[in-house]
């Protein structure tokens, strides 16, 4: 199996680290070699967080270069625009339709970026309203698991394996809601509810 590279990006508090951990555990449980790297400088103040998960028969490095990512999962629109140059020409761009304005925009020091959704759509982005689906699952904080459900439709891992890893990784009291969130994210992509 060739090495697959997945980049997850968002801002602090969106659950990108947990989502990357879920993906890494699924790939490892499938018997693949996995390498993971994280960058989360000012994440506790709403700063950028990105994580790279690489898996395959043999993986030589935990990092990636621009133009080498098979799947980019963006937890919000601005981070998708910041990382789009990492996606391969035939790569998959999965974007939560939420926009979180950065601090300089909130303080009025910078103007909010415009037309990012159109730019991403022109690049073939698949949009998922992960917050809405997370609320529907009964766990508004599970947008990250919704996105893993959407991502799972493009990866070679069984749904049962994902569910086993999620059930073993999230707090006991949230297992059912997270499994519903995963299922809703998966169904949104399989059923064509994701906006292309």
């Amino acid at each position: 199996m060739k090495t697959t590279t997945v980049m997850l990006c968002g801002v602090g508090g969106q659950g990108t680290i947990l989502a990357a951990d879920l993906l890494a555990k699924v790939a490892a449980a499938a018997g693949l070699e996995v390498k993971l790297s994280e960058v989360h400088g000012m994440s506790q103040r709403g700063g950028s967080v990105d994580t790279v998960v690489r898996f395959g028969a043999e993986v030589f490095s935990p990092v990636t270069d621009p133009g080498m990512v098979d799947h980019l999962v963006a937890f919000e629109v601005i981070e998708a625009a910041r990382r789009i140059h990492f996606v391969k020409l035939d790569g998959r761009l999965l974007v939560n339709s939420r926009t979180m304005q950065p601090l300089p925009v909130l303080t009025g020091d910078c103007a909010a970026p415009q037309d990012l959704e159109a730019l991403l759509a022109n690049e073939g982005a698949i949009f998922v309203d992960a917050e809405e689906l997370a609320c529907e699952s009964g766990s508004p904080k599970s947008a990250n698991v919704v996105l893993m459900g959407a991502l799972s439709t493009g990866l070679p891992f069984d749904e049962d394996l994902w569910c086993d890893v999620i059930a073993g990784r999230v707090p006991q009291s949230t297992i059912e809601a997270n499994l519903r969130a995963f299922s809703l994210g998966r169904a949104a992509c399989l059923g064509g509810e994701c906006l292309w």
Side-chain angles (χ1 to χ4, degrees):
M1 177 183 193
K2 74 173 186 71
T3 300
T4 299
T5 303
V6 179
M7 176 180 278
L8 300 100
C9 61
V11 300
Q14 288 192 295
T16 57
I17 302 297
L18 173 61
D21 187 57
L22 291 173
L23 173 58
K25 287 182 182 332
V26 167
L32 299 175
E33 186 173 307
V34 181
K35 292 199 183 322
L36 184 147
S37 64
E38 301 170 350
V39 177
H40 43 94
M42 296 296 285
S43 59
Q44 292 184 348
R45 296 182 181 206
S48 297
V49 178
D50 66 74
T51 304
V52 174
V53 180
R54 303 187 75 221
F55 54 85
E58 194 172 24
V59 181
F60 295 103
S61 172
V63 295
T64 191
D65 291 317
M68 301 303 291
V69 168
D70 298 288
H71 303 266
L72 175 63
V73 182
F75 286 53
E76 69 96 32
V77 171
I78 293 173
E79 293 303 319
R82 286 182 176 162
R83 303 289 191 289
I84 195 169
H85 63 288
F86 279 94
V87 181
K88 286 180 176 178
L89 289 176
D90 61 346
R92 188 173 181 223
L93 176 58
L94 187 61
V95 181
N96 183 8
S97 54
R98 179 175 188 182
T99 299
M100 296 180 72
Q101 300 296 347
L103 189 58
V105 171
L106 294 174
T107 60
D109 291 337
C110 294
Q114 302 295 313
D115 301 324
L116 293 181
E117 291 87 355
L119 172 107
L120 295 169
N122 284 338
E123 297 295 327
I126 301 165
F127 290 95
V128 178
D129 191 341
E131 268 76 20
E132 183 177 314
L133 293 173
C135 288
E136 187 178 329
S137 78
S139 177
K141 293 182 178 179
S142 296
N144 57 345
V145 179
V146 169
L147 290 170
M148 291 302 92
L151 172 67
S152 74
T153 62
L155 297 178
F157 306 122
D158 290 338
E159 184 176 357
D160 290 343
L161 184 57
W162 279 96
C163 292
D164 290 345
V165 168
I166 291 167
R169 178 63 177 82
V170 301
Q172 180 79 26
S173 61
T174 67
I175 291 174
E176 290 305 318
N178 275 290
L179 291 176
R180 280 193 302 275
F182 177 81
S183 180
L184 287 168
R186 191 172 167 82
C189 276
L190 291 175
E193 294 173 28
C194 299
L195 303 175
W196 295 83

